[in-house]
Amino acid sequence: MPSTPADVLDFWFDSDSEALWYERNDAFDAAIGKRFGDTLEAALRGDLDGWAETPEGWLALLIVRDQFSRNLYRHDARAWAGDPDTQVLALDGIAQGYDQRLAPMQRVFAYMPLEHAESPVLQQHCVRLFERLLACQPEAQRPRFQNYLDYARRHHDVIARFGRFPHRNAVLGRTDTPAEQAYLATPGAGF
């Protein structure tokens, strides 16, 4: 039976999954592949574009295209192959106000495709979205959302400096510039 947007959102926002969002975990990646590998391929072909007719479906499609691709294709150019179309999808939903109808943690993943963009314009837009998201959080939640804003700014700064993400160069067959080599040699470089 094909996955539904609810399947994706229930899986992704499960408390067990949340602990693994930003860490490499082979078991988590394998679970995504087993459960949603076909869903990712269908999404990248455009077969699931109808999901984007509702805010929840739109978010599920963004998660499949932007997050699951990175989990399933680590160190493979396919991790980023769908990014341009996914960024257009994100912008379209934001323009329709879909993001404003989502819970704050869900909005993080609605904005993430823009954070992954190798575009100064999209990066700036992403930072503004995360600034607005932080501004509307209660005091108890502000540190968590400040962290998301900090990461958005770090991504923005890398694109402002290099025009691309140097940590993708080797996988994409791009030659590092000397400045990129120096950056990549620093602890904590890359994402």
Side-chain angles (χ1 to χ4, degrees), residues 104-170:
M105 273 312 303
Q106 292 176 322
R107 288 170 64 186
V108 168
F109 291 97
Y111 303 153
M112 201 75 66
L114 304 181
E115 188 171 310
H116 293 148
E118 291 189 321
S119 159
V121 172
L122 294 182
Q123 286 291 329
Q124 185 59 43
H125 187 42
C126 179
V127 168
R128 284 193 305 270
L129 290 166
F130 276 106
E131 287 171 344
R132 287 185 213 138
L133 181 58
L134 172 63
C136 68
Q137 297 311 305
E139 191 62 36
Q141 293 297 318
R142 290 183 68 79
R144 182 178 200 183
F145 287 89
Q146 180 65 54
N147 189 49
Y148 287 118
L149 173 58
D150 292 345
Y151 267 92
R153 287 178 173 154
R154 287 180 55 207
H155 282 75
H156 170 274
D157 293 348
V158 169
I159 295 302
R161 183 174 172 192
F162 301 111
R164 60 189 186 176
F165 290 116
H167 68 276
R168 296 181 185 177
N169 289 350

Side-chain angles (χ1 to χ4, degrees), residues 69 72-81 171-172:
S69 63
L72 297 184
Y73 300 128
R74 291 184 191 276
H75 309 295
D76 184 315
R78 292 178 292 175
W80 309 293
V171 173
L172 294 176

Side-chain angles (χ1 to χ4, degrees), residues 9-175:
L9 297 179
D10 289 347
F11 173 85
W12 192 250
F13 291 103
D14 176 86
S15 61
D16 292 334
S17 294
E18 184 175 343
L20 302 170
W21 285 342
Y22 306 110
E23 302 294 326
R24 180 183 179 133
N25 183 294
D26 292 338
F28 184 59
D29 293 351
I32 291 171
K34 182 176 181 182
R35 186 156 178 202
F36 298 107
D38 291 340
T39 303
L40 173 59
E41 294 307 314
L44 293 173
R45 285 191 309 267
D47 296 349
L48 304 180
D49 288 355
W51 285 14
E53 295 174 5
T54 67
E56 294 78 14
W58 169 73
L59 175 63
L61 189 55
L62 291 175
I63 289 169
V64 168
R65 293 179 61 102
D66 187 65
Q67 297 297 311
F68 290 179
S69 63
R70 284 159 169 77
N71 287 93
L72 297 184
Y73 300 128
R74 291 184 191 276
H75 309 295
D76 184 315
R78 292 178 292 175
W80 309 293
D83 281 6
D85 290 338
T86 305
Q87 291 152 8
V88 169
L89 179 69
L91 291 168
D92 287 348
I94 292 165
Q96 293 180 63
Y98 280 0
D99 59 319
Q100 300 303 309
R101 295 168 54 189
L102 300 173
M105 273 312 303
Q106 292 176 322
R107 288 170 64 186
V108 168
F109 291 97
Y111 303 153
M112 201 75 66
L114 304 181
E115 188 171 310
H116 293 148
E118 291 189 321
S119 159
V121 172
L122 294 182
Q123 286 291 329
Q124 185 59 43
H125 187 42
C126 179
V127 168
R128 284 193 305 270
L129 290 166
F130 276 106
E131 287 171 344
R132 287 185 213 138
L133 181 58
L134 172 63
C136 68
Q137 297 311 305
E139 191 62 36
Q141 293 297 318
R142 290 183 68 79
R144 182 178 200 183
F145 287 89
Q146 180 65 54
N147 189 49
Y148 287 118
L149 173 58
D150 292 345
Y151 267 92
R153 287 178 173 154
R154 287 180 55 207
H155 282 75
H156 170 274
D157 293 348
V158 169
I159 295 302
R161 183 174 172 192
F162 301 111
R164 60 189 186 176
F165 290 116
H167 68 276
R168 296 181 185 177
N169 289 350
V171 173
L172 294 176
R174 302 187 302 207
T175 303

